[in-house]
Amino acid sequence: MTDSAPIYDDKAHVRGNLDLAGVTWIRSDEGAEQEEEHVEIAFVEHTDGVTYTAMRNSAHPEGPVLVFTPAEWEAFILGVKDGEFDEPWDD
């Protein structure tokens, strides 16, 4: 057995308890038709006083929703701006 770092789940108390009813989902319409799939986000306040960012696929609004803490969302946005998720180009 190998030693591993402890896992810290800072959303355990939120999982399954985040009220998404009535939130306003935001999407970027830039360069795409309204009928196409979009990534949608919503900023959702929780009873713990933290505003979480929820993300879903517009084509599957009842499907899975990713939830980010403020620190996770900031890291994601910084990664996007830095090109971390850009597709590699074939040379």
Side-chain angles (χ1 to χ4, degrees):
M1 184 167 134
T2 62
D3 291 332
S4 63
I7 297 173
Y8 177 70
D9 185 359
D10 57 352
K11 293 181 289 204
H13 68 289
V14 175
R15 203 173 324 285
N17 295 316
L18 198 60
D19 185 8
L20 300 175
V23 300
T24 301
W25 290 96
I26 306 164
R27 71 167 73 162
S28 171
D29 294 330
E30 188 173 321
E33 297 296 321
Q34 282 292 84
E35 294 79 33
E36 292 183 19
E37 291 184 40
H38 293 268
V39 171
E40 296 179 320
I41 63 167
F43 300 103
V44 186
E45 248 184 83
H46 188 262
T47 57
D48 64 3
V50 176
T51 299
Y52 294 90
T53 303
M55 179 188 290
R56 71 180 185 182
N57 181 336
S58 66
H60 306 285
E62 301 302 322
V65 173
L66 301 175
V67 176
F68 299 88
T69 64
E72 290 169 332
W73 184 247
E74 180 180 10
F76 175 75
I77 294 300
L78 290 173
V80 169
K81 288 179 179 180
D82 195 36
E84 189 176 327
F85 306 106
D86 290 354
E87 292 187 37
W89 297 98
D90 292 332
D91 291 327

PDB file of all heavy atoms in Angstrom, residues 46-66:
ATOM      1  N   HIS A  46     -25.528  29.540  -1.084  1.00  0.00           N
ATOM      2  CA  HIS A  46     -25.880  28.416  -0.220  1.00  0.00           C
ATOM      3  C   HIS A  46     -26.081  28.943   1.196  1.00  0.00           C
ATOM      4  O   HIS A  46     -25.633  30.045   1.520  1.00  0.00           O
ATOM      5  CB  HIS A  46     -24.754  27.368  -0.262  1.00  0.00           C
ATOM      6  CG  HIS A  46     -25.093  26.106   0.430  1.00  0.00           C
ATOM      7  ND1 HIS A  46     -24.700  25.828   1.708  1.00  0.00           N
ATOM      8  CD2 HIS A  46     -25.791  25.020   0.013  1.00  0.00           C
ATOM      9  CE1 HIS A  46     -25.138  24.633   2.062  1.00  0.00           C
ATOM     10  NE2 HIS A  46     -25.806  24.126   1.052  1.00  0.00           N
ATOM     11  N   THR A  47     -26.720  28.160   2.014  1.00  0.00           N
ATOM     12  CA  THR A  47     -26.986  28.583   3.385  1.00  0.00           C
ATOM     13  C   THR A  47     -25.707  28.743   4.206  1.00  0.00           C
ATOM     14  O   THR A  47     -25.741  29.353   5.272  1.00  0.00           O
ATOM     15  CB  THR A  47     -27.920  27.584   4.098  1.00  0.00           C
ATOM     16  OG1 THR A  47     -27.320  26.280   4.044  1.00  0.00           O
ATOM     17  CG2 THR A  47     -29.288  27.557   3.452  1.00  0.00           C
ATOM     18  N   ASP A  48     -24.586  28.221   3.714  1.00  0.00           N
ATOM     19  CA  ASP A  48     -23.309  28.395   4.421  1.00  0.00           C
ATOM     20  C   ASP A  48     -22.691  29.763   4.155  1.00  0.00           C
ATOM     21  O   ASP A  48     -21.615  30.073   4.638  1.00  0.00           O
ATOM     22  CB  ASP A  48     -22.331  27.272   4.069  1.00  0.00           C
ATOM     23  CG  ASP A  48     -21.909  27.257   2.601  1.00  0.00           C
ATOM     24  OD1 ASP A  48     -22.323  28.155   1.834  1.00  0.00           O
ATOM     25  OD2 ASP A  48     -21.173  26.329   2.217  1.00  0.00           O
ATOM     26  N   GLY A  49     -23.374  30.594   3.336  1.00  0.00           N
ATOM     27  CA  GLY A  49     -22.892  31.936   3.035  1.00  0.00           C
ATOM     28  C   GLY A  49     -21.959  32.014   1.847  1.00  0.00           C
ATOM     29  O   GLY A  49     -21.509  33.092   1.480  1.00  0.00           O
ATOM     30  N   VAL A  50     -21.648  30.884   1.225  1.00  0.00           N
ATOM     31  CA  VAL A  50     -20.750  30.845   0.084  1.00  0.00           C
ATOM     32  C   VAL A  50     -21.573  30.824  -1.199  1.00  0.00           C
ATOM     33  O   VAL A  50     -22.599  30.159  -1.269  1.00  0.00           O
ATOM     34  CB  VAL A  50     -19.837  29.595   0.137  1.00  0.00           C
ATOM     35  CG1 VAL A  50     -18.971  29.488  -1.101  1.00  0.00           C
ATOM     36  CG2 VAL A  50     -18.978  29.629   1.394  1.00  0.00           C
ATOM     37  N   THR A  51     -21.127  31.574  -2.200  1.00  0.00           N
ATOM     38  CA  THR A  51     -21.761  31.527  -3.515  1.00  0.00           C
ATOM     39  C   THR A  51     -20.956  30.576  -4.381  1.00  0.00           C
ATOM     40  O   THR A  51     -19.783  30.823  -4.667  1.00  0.00           O
ATOM     41  CB  THR A  51     -21.823  32.917  -4.164  1.00  0.00           C
ATOM     42  OG1 THR A  51     -22.605  33.777  -3.327  1.00  0.00           O
ATOM     43  CG2 THR A  51     -22.462  32.851  -5.549  1.00  0.00           C
ATOM     44  N   TYR A  52     -21.575  29.468  -4.758  1.00  0.00           N
ATOM     45  CA  TYR A  52     -20.950  28.447  -5.596  1.00  0.00           C
ATOM     46  C   TYR A  52     -21.291  28.713  -7.053  1.00  0.00           C
ATOM     47  O   TYR A  52     -22.298  29.350  -7.358  1.00  0.00           O
ATOM     48  CB  TYR A  52     -21.440  27.056  -5.190  1.00  0.00           C
ATOM     49  CG  TYR A  52     -20.995  26.680  -3.804  1.00  0.00           C
ATOM     50  CD1 TYR A  52     -21.778  26.991  -2.694  1.00  0.00           C
ATOM     51  CD2 TYR A  52     -19.789  26.033  -3.592  1.00  0.00           C
ATOM     52  CE1 TYR A  52     -21.369  26.667  -1.409  1.00  0.00           C
ATOM     53  CE2 TYR A  52     -19.368  25.701  -2.316  1.00  0.00           C
ATOM     54  CZ  TYR A  52     -20.164  26.022  -1.229  1.00  0.00           C
ATOM     55  OH  TYR A  52     -19.746  25.704   0.041  1.00  0.00           O
ATOM     56  N   THR A  53     -20.468  28.220  -7.957  1.00  0.00           N
ATOM     57  CA  THR A  53     -20.735  28.321  -9.387  1.00  0.00           C
ATOM     58  C   THR A  53     -21.158  26.947  -9.870  1.00  0.00           C
ATOM     59  O   THR A  53     -20.431  25.969  -9.686  1.00  0.00           O
ATOM     60  CB  THR A  53     -19.493  28.792 -10.154  1.00  0.00           C
ATOM     61  OG1 THR A  53     -19.065  30.046  -9.619  1.00  0.00           O
ATOM     62  CG2 THR A  53     -19.812  28.957 -11.642  1.00  0.00           C
ATOM     63  N   ALA A  54     -22.347  26.879 -10.467  1.00  0.00           N
ATOM     64  CA  ALA A  54     -22.855  25.634 -11.039  1.00  0.00           C
ATOM     65  C   ALA A  54     -22.689  25.703 -12.550  1.00  0.00           C
ATOM     66  O   ALA A  54     -22.839  26.766 -13.150  1.00  0.00           O
ATOM     67  CB  ALA A  54     -24.325  25.450 -10.676  1.00  0.00           C
ATOM     68  N   MET A  55     -22.371  24.565 -13.171  1.00  0.00           N
ATOM     69  CA  MET A  55     -22.164  24.516 -14.617  1.00  0.00           C
ATOM     70  C   MET A  55     -22.906  23.304 -15.172  1.00  0.00           C
ATOM     71  O   MET A  55     -22.866  22.222 -14.591  1.00  0.00           O
ATOM     72  CB  MET A  55     -20.673  24.395 -14.935  1.00  0.00           C
ATOM     73  CG  MET A  55     -20.363  24.309 -16.421  1.00  0.00           C
ATOM     74  SD  MET A  55     -18.612  23.945 -16.751  1.00  0.00           S
ATOM     75  CE  MET A  55     -17.833  25.463 -16.255  1.00  0.00           C
ATOM     76  N   ARG A  56     -23.599  23.518 -16.312  1.00  0.00           N
ATOM     77  CA  ARG A  56     -24.324  22.416 -16.952  1.00  0.00           C
ATOM     78  C   ARG A  56     -24.284  22.562 -18.469  1.00  0.00           C
ATOM     79  O   ARG A  56     -23.895  23.599 -19.000  1.00  0.00           O
ATOM     80  CB  ARG A  56     -25.771  22.371 -16.475  1.00  0.00           C
ATOM     81  CG  ARG A  56     -26.612  23.521 -17.010  1.00  0.00           C
ATOM     82  CD  ARG A  56     -28.035  23.455 -16.535  1.00  0.00           C
ATOM     83  NE  ARG A  56     -28.846  24.507 -17.165  1.00  0.00           N
ATOM     84  CZ  ARG A  56     -30.108  24.714 -16.905  1.00  0.00           C
ATOM     85  NH1 ARG A  56     -30.737  23.970 -16.010  1.00  0.00           N
ATOM     86  NH2 ARG A  56     -30.766  25.674 -17.517  1.00  0.00           N
ATOM     87  N   ASN A  57     -24.731  21.520 -19.151  1.00  0.00           N
ATOM     88  CA  ASN A  57     -24.868  21.503 -20.606  1.00  0.00           C
ATOM     89  C   ASN A  57     -26.305  21.899 -20.927  1.00  0.00           C
ATOM     90  O   ASN A  57     -27.239  21.255 -20.456  1.00  0.00           O
ATOM     91  CB  ASN A  57     -24.552  20.096 -21.122  1.00  0.00           C
ATOM     92  CG  ASN A  57     -24.647  19.975 -22.622  1.00  0.00           C
ATOM     93  OD1 ASN A  57     -25.329  20.735 -23.303  1.00  0.00           O
ATOM     94  ND2 ASN A  57     -23.958  18.987 -23.162  1.00  0.00           N
ATOM     95  N   SER A  58     -26.494  22.917 -21.750  1.00  0.00           N
ATOM     96  CA  SER A  58     -27.849  23.399 -22.058  1.00  0.00           C
ATOM     97  C   SER A  58     -28.705  22.339 -22.748  1.00  0.00           C
ATOM     98  O   SER A  58     -29.925  22.374 -22.651  1.00  0.00           O
ATOM     99  CB  SER A  58     -27.788  24.654 -22.928  1.00  0.00           C
ATOM    100  OG  SER A  58     -27.250  24.355 -24.210  1.00  0.00           O
ATOM    101  N   ALA A  59     -28.059  21.398 -23.448  1.00  0.00           N
ATOM    102  CA  ALA A  59     -28.813  20.343 -24.135  1.00  0.00           C
ATOM    103  C   ALA A  59     -29.362  19.308 -23.147  1.00  0.00           C
ATOM    104  O   ALA A  59     -30.262  18.553 -23.492  1.00  0.00           O
ATOM    105  CB  ALA A  59     -27.936  19.646 -25.171  1.00  0.00           C
ATOM    106  N   HIS A  60     -28.832  19.293 -21.940  1.00  0.00           N
ATOM    107  CA  HIS A  60     -29.262  18.352 -20.909  1.00  0.00           C
ATOM    108  C   HIS A  60     -29.468  19.093 -19.592  1.00  0.00           C
ATOM    109  O   HIS A  60     -28.752  18.847 -18.611  1.00  0.00           O
ATOM    110  CB  HIS A  60     -28.228  17.243 -20.737  1.00  0.00           C
ATOM    111  CG  HIS A  60     -27.888  16.543 -22.014  1.00  0.00           C
ATOM    112  ND1 HIS A  60     -28.736  15.646 -22.610  1.00  0.00           N
ATOM    113  CD2 HIS A  60     -26.810  16.640 -22.821  1.00  0.00           C
ATOM    114  CE1 HIS A  60     -28.180  15.211 -23.732  1.00  0.00           C
ATOM    115  NE2 HIS A  60     -27.020  15.803 -23.886  1.00  0.00           N
ATOM    116  N   PRO A  61     -30.439  20.002 -19.527  1.00  0.00           N
ATOM    117  CA  PRO A  61     -30.604  20.821 -18.325  1.00  0.00           C
ATOM    118  C   PRO A  61     -30.928  20.023 -17.062  1.00  0.00           C
ATOM    119  O   PRO A  61     -30.650  20.487 -15.964  1.00  0.00           O
ATOM    120  CB  PRO A  61     -31.737  21.777 -18.695  1.00  0.00           C
ATOM    121  CG  PRO A  61     -32.435  21.137 -19.834  1.00  0.00           C
ATOM    122  CD  PRO A  61     -31.420  20.319 -20.552  1.00  0.00           C
ATOM    123  N   GLU A  62     -31.482  18.842 -17.226  1.00  0.00           N
ATOM    124  CA  GLU A  62     -31.784  18.010 -16.053  1.00  0.00           C
ATOM    125  C   GLU A  62     -30.637  17.057 -15.737  1.00  0.00           C
ATOM    126  O   GLU A  62     -30.696  16.301 -14.774  1.00  0.00           O
ATOM    127  CB  GLU A  62     -33.073  17.211 -16.281  1.00  0.00           C
ATOM    128  CG  GLU A  62     -34.297  18.072 -16.545  1.00  0.00           C
ATOM    129  CD  GLU A  62     -34.593  19.046 -15.417  1.00  0.00           C
ATOM    130  OE1 GLU A  62     -34.414  18.677 -14.239  1.00  0.00           O
ATOM    131  OE2 GLU A  62     -34.984  20.189 -15.717  1.00  0.00           O
ATOM    132  N   GLY A  63     -29.605  17.093 -16.584  1.00  0.00           N
ATOM    133  CA  GLY A  63     -28.473  16.183 -16.431  1.00  0.00           C
ATOM    134  C   GLY A  63     -27.530  16.613 -15.329  1.00  0.00           C
ATOM    135  O   GLY A  63     -27.875  17.438 -14.481  1.00  0.00           O
ATOM    136  N   PRO A  64     -26.315  16.113 -15.348  1.00  0.00           N
ATOM    137  CA  PRO A  64     -25.368  16.426 -14.276  1.00  0.00           C
ATOM    138  C   PRO A  64     -25.002  17.910 -14.240  1.00  0.00           C
ATOM    139  O   PRO A  64     -24.981  18.580 -15.268  1.00  0.00           O
ATOM    140  CB  PRO A  64     -24.141  15.580 -14.603  1.00  0.00           C
ATOM    141  CG  PRO A  64     -24.353  15.006 -15.948  1.00  0.00           C
ATOM    142  CD  PRO A  64     -25.775  15.222 -16.343  1.00  0.00           C
ATOM    143  N   VAL A  65     -24.739  18.378 -13.047  1.00  0.00           N
ATOM    144  CA  VAL A  65     -24.316  19.755 -12.823  1.00  0.00           C
ATOM    145  C   VAL A  65     -23.000  19.712 -12.062  1.00  0.00           C
ATOM    146  O   VAL A  65     -22.899  19.035 -11.038  1.00  0.00           O
ATOM    147  CB  VAL A  65     -25.368  20.540 -12.013  1.00  0.00           C
ATOM    148  CG1 VAL A  65     -24.858  21.920 -11.637  1.00  0.00           C
ATOM    149  CG2 VAL A  65     -26.678  20.641 -12.780  1.00  0.00           C
ATOM    150  N   LEU A  66     -21.999  20.403 -12.584  1.00  0.00           N
ATOM    151  CA  LEU A  66     -20.731  20.534 -11.872  1.00  0.00           C
ATOM    152  C   LEU A  66     -20.847  21.714 -10.920  1.00  0.00           C
ATOM    153  O   LEU A  66     -21.452  22.735 -11.249  1.00  0.00           O
ATOM    154  CB  LEU A  66     -19.588  20.784 -12.855  1.00  0.00           C
ATOM    155  CG  LEU A  66     -19.349  19.720 -13.914  1.00  0.00           C
ATOM    156  CD1 LEU A  66     -18.255  20.191 -14.879  1.00  0.00           C
ATOM    157  CD2 LEU A  66     -18.962  18.409 -13.278  1.00  0.00           C
TER     158      LEU A  66
END
